Amino acid sequence: MTTDTTSSGSIPHRWLAVPAISFGGIGIGLLLATAGIPYAILAGVAGCVIASFVLCYQAYHKPRKDLVSIFTPLFAFFILVIPNEISSGGPIVQIFFAATITLLAVRVEKTFNAPKAEKKTMKQILNEYIGRINPIISLVDEETGHLIAQSLLTYKFGLYDNAAEKSKETLARLEKITPRQSALERALLILQERAGGFAESRVTTNPKHVFEETDYNDLAIRLRPDQVEDPVALDLDNALILLYAVGIETSPDDEQALEEHQRFIIQILESYKEKLTA
């Protein structure tokens, strides 16, 4: 099904109606004045006022609203219609007003025509990530998926010795899968190493196992080098998210338990929210 993208805010060159009507009215007024017709100046006033309503209409129907352009008819009324020192300036004031609303029309077309990008929720980012790593997920059988889920859940419960053992057991089973999934294996190695450190009340500051450049496309949190504040923490966070994504998709027995702890994964993603949704 095709989507109709044509709208009042997307027709090319519609903004040209603003200078055409405003300057056209001024031009007609000047021609009438040279012919000696009384009140010829009102043609220019009418052109500018009508053009201001055209601009208001266009600005109102854009995906994003420009309040200055929307209120131009009000400005036209006070500047050109109500008798005052400014309106007595005649064609000069009209030309200045026409030029101003022309610039506004260009600004509306260039700046306010595109819809404001909606930031994705962390749940959306997680779901998109799960879809993105489907090639990995499709090669993991149910038993291996169960071991992956248990590795993550025991870590989440603080059973670090068990988490390290489960990770080791899962790695042994993954060796039977071809082609081997490097990112998934490294995620388990990272979890095993960190869990082993926590089991000994030791924080791993210089880990042996880290994600490699070739794993980049299989990671949920992908940052530029200048955005990475703590690469050790980032690797662990990516490992946990990867294991969660594979576990919940491949282990029906653990699906409910993993869903109950989804908030844990969402919180990890939220800690990178500004960088992920920038």
Side-chain angles (χ1 to χ4, degrees):
M1 180 180 67
T2 58
T3 302
D4 183 12
T5 56
T6 304
S7 68
S8 59
S10 60
I11 297 178
H13 311 306
R14 174 169 281 191
W15 66 272
L16 290 172
V18 173
I21 295 172
S22 57
F23 284 107
I26 295 170
I28 292 172
L30 291 174
L31 287 175
L32 293 176
T34 57
I37 297 176
Y39 306 109
I41 192 174
L42 294 180
V45 173
C48 289
V49 171
I50 293 171
S52 70
F53 276 98
V54 171
L55 175 58
C56 172
Y57 175 84
Q58 292 181 6
Y60 181 78
H61 286 86
K62 292 295 181 183
R64 296 164 57 201
K65 311 303 180 191
D66 177 21
L67 293 179
V68 174
S69 296
I70 289 174
F71 282 103
T72 48
L74 186 63
F75 301 146
F77 181 77
F78 284 115
I79 294 173
L80 301 173
V81 177
I82 297 179
N84 55 60
E85 292 183 1
I86 299 177
S87 61
S88 62
I92 295 177
V93 174
Q94 295 171 14
I95 292 172
F96 178 78
F97 185 85
T100 301
I101 61 176
T102 297
L103 291 175
L104 287 175
V106 173
R107 187 180 74 147
V108 166
E109 186 65 26
K110 299 296 183 182
T111 307
F112 295 87
N113 208 32
K116 187 176 181 181
E118 294 183 3
K119 291 187 176 181
K120 296 178 182 178
T121 66
M122 296 303 102
K123 181 67 179 292
Q124 288 174 320
I125 289 176
L126 177 59
N127 289 337
E128 288 179 2
Y129 172 63
I130 291 174
R132 176 155 56 85
I133 61 169
N134 187 63
I136 292 178
I137 292 171
S138 63
L139 292 174
V140 177
D141 58 72
E142 188 173 321
E143 185 175 347
T144 307
H146 174 66
L147 290 173
I148 290 171
Q150 289 300 305
S151 299
L152 176 65
L153 289 171
T154 50
Y155 177 88
K156 172 64 175 63
F157 290 133
L159 304 174
Y160 299 122
D161 277 327
N162 288 347
E165 286 299 318
K166 287 290 183 183
S167 299
K168 183 178 179 181
E169 184 180 351
T170 310
L171 283 164
R173 183 169 178 79
L174 275 176
E175 290 181 358
K176 302 175 183 178
I177 298 178
T178 55
R180 297 178 65 185
Q181 298 300 313
S182 298
L184 182 55
E185 288 181 341
R186 267 187 278 277
L188 287 161
L189 287 168
I190 290 169
L191 183 65
Q192 181 184 20
E193 184 178 16
R194 308 299 169 81
F198 290 145
E200 299 173 2
S201 300
R202 172 175 48 83
V203 177
T204 305
T205 55
N206 295 298
K208 176 182 177 181
H209 300 289
V210 297
F211 284 113
E212 298 181 1
E213 188 175 346
T214 54
D215 301 323
Y216 184 81
N217 289 331
D218 296 324
L219 303 181
I221 305 168
R222 300 181 292 181
L223 307 179
R224 300 190 309 271
D226 61 290
Q227 292 179 306
V228 180
E229 298 177 6
D230 188 345
V232 176
L234 177 60
D235 275 344
L236 178 58
D237 290 339
N238 267 321
L240 295 174
I241 298 171
L242 175 54
L243 296 176
Y244 175 88
V246 174
I248 199 168
E249 290 295 306
T250 59
S251 179
D253 291 342
D254 300 287
E255 184 177 357
Q256 183 176 349
L258 289 171
E259 285 182 348
E260 290 174 356
H261 293 280
Q262 187 182 83
R263 183 59 190 164
F264 169 58
I265 301 301
I266 295 297
Q267 286 176 335
I268 293 175
L269 289 169
E270 284 179 343
S271 66
Y272 298 91
K273 182 176 181 179
E274 291 185 2
K275 296 174 182 176
L276 288 173
T277 58

